Amino acid sequence: MKIGVIAIQGNIEEHIHALNQAMKKEQIDGTVIPVKHRGIIPKCDGIVIPGGESTTLCRLMKKEGIDTEIKNAAQKNRPIFATCAGLIAIAKKGGKEAEQTKQELLGIIDLEVERNAFGRQRESFETEVRINFLETPYNAIFIRAPKITRVGKDVETIATLNNNIIAAKQKNTIALSFHPELTNDTRIHQHYIKLIKK
Ligand code: GLN
């Protein structure tokens, strides 16, 4: 199994570590490859898009031609896992902030987002959330997190927090507002790996 982690910005090492741990736990042989340039994604079975700053992320992915490769992979149903700024990057529509910054989103998951919906850096927090494919709560870390303000009809809401949608899934694409790579709990990465294996 080959998983590409977009290595432009954000928690790249943390995702690579979590994926390696998750593969070990699931007893799956595989490699995790940092993706900085075009040409790698077509060879990957899955793609992870970390958080960071979505304006920069989108701009640099476009500059590298990675954006088109991700869109093609999504069309082929390759499992894609996006967190925080990654979620914004793959959304169909951004809110006011995205419009102001003229962000070009990939539009591979039918949802609308609002950036920084839970406040700025100082308002970062962690809390237990229920995720529909996990049996027990997950301690989720939110850092200038977006929320999902609308989901399309083919999109499944997989977690909410105080009536805000914070995680969604459409076919083989999983998008989260929070940062599972910043905890030692690899259950979400394991779930994603099993999705690739299917
Ligand atoms: N607030 C960032 C954005 O809008 C996302 C933050 C993050 O990825 N931790 O791009």
Side-chain angles (χ1 to χ4, degrees):
M1 182 186 291
K2 259 195 199 143
I3 306 174
V5 175
I6 304 304
I8 287 179
Q9 215 204 16
N11 307 322
I12 301 154
E13 284 308 318
E14 290 85 347
H15 266 296
I16 294 176
H17 181 70
L19 288 164
N20 280 322
Q21 292 295 109
M23 284 198 286
K24 219 182 266 170
K25 289 181 192 166
E26 294 299 325
Q27 300 185 331
I28 290 172
D29 270 335
T31 39
V32 188
I33 313 160
V35 177
K36 280 192 177 22
H37 306 287
R38 82 182 77 178
I40 303 164
I41 288 172
K43 296 176 203 141
C44 291
D45 305 303
I47 300 146
V48 175
I49 311 172
E53 213 284 313
S54 58
T55 321
T56 317
L57 185 65
C58 290
R59 194 164 41 79
L60 294 178
M61 285 199 295
K62 187 173 180 186
K63 193 171 153 226
E64 288 299 330
I66 290 175
D67 60 337
T68 318
E69 290 186 337
I70 297 175
K71 282 187 202 167
N72 290 340
Q75 227 148 36
K76 290 181 189 142
N77 255 329
R78 294 272 153 74
I80 292 172
F81 180 24
T83 56
C84 205
L87 152 78
I88 301 167
I90 66 167
K92 199 160 213 172
K93 230 176 149 215
K96 241 188 263 148
E97 255 195 83
E99 274 156 33
Q100 274 166 7
T101 54
K102 297 202 173 61
Q103 242 172 320
E104 282 181 53
L105 308 177
L106 298 183
I108 57 181
I109 184 162
D110 187 11
L111 45 84
E112 224 171 296
V113 293
E114 185 187 324
R115 291 179 65 187
N116 302 307
F118 296 95
R120 295 276 160 183
Q121 191 79 25
R122 269 181 309 166
E123 282 104 40
S124 298
F125 62 98
E126 53 183 285
T127 187
E128 301 230 304
V129 297
R130 286 221 158 257
I131 298 176
N132 75 352
F133 53 77
L134 297 181
E135 266 156 36
T136 52
Y138 190 91
N139 189 43
I141 300 177
F142 293 81
I143 303 167
R144 293 178 293 120
K147 74 176 178 194
I148 299 166
T149 51
R150 182 194 64 81
V151 291
K153 67 171 177 9
D154 298 326
V155 179
E156 183 192 352
T157 295
I158 58 179
T160 58
L161 176 64
N162 306 329
N163 294 323
N164 297 308
I165 304 175
I166 52 158
K169 184 173 175 189
Q170 180 175 13
K171 282 194 202 145
N172 284 336
T173 299
I174 301 174
L176 312 178
S177 294
F178 53 92
H179 291 272
E181 75 284 8
L182 295 181
T183 64
N184 290 324
D185 187 343
T186 56
R187 286 179 293 162
I188 302 178
H189 285 85
Q190 283 168 259
H191 178 82
Y192 171 64
I193 278 168
K194 284 190 265 183
L195 198 66
I196 302 177
K197 204 182 163 195
K198 262 195 211 159

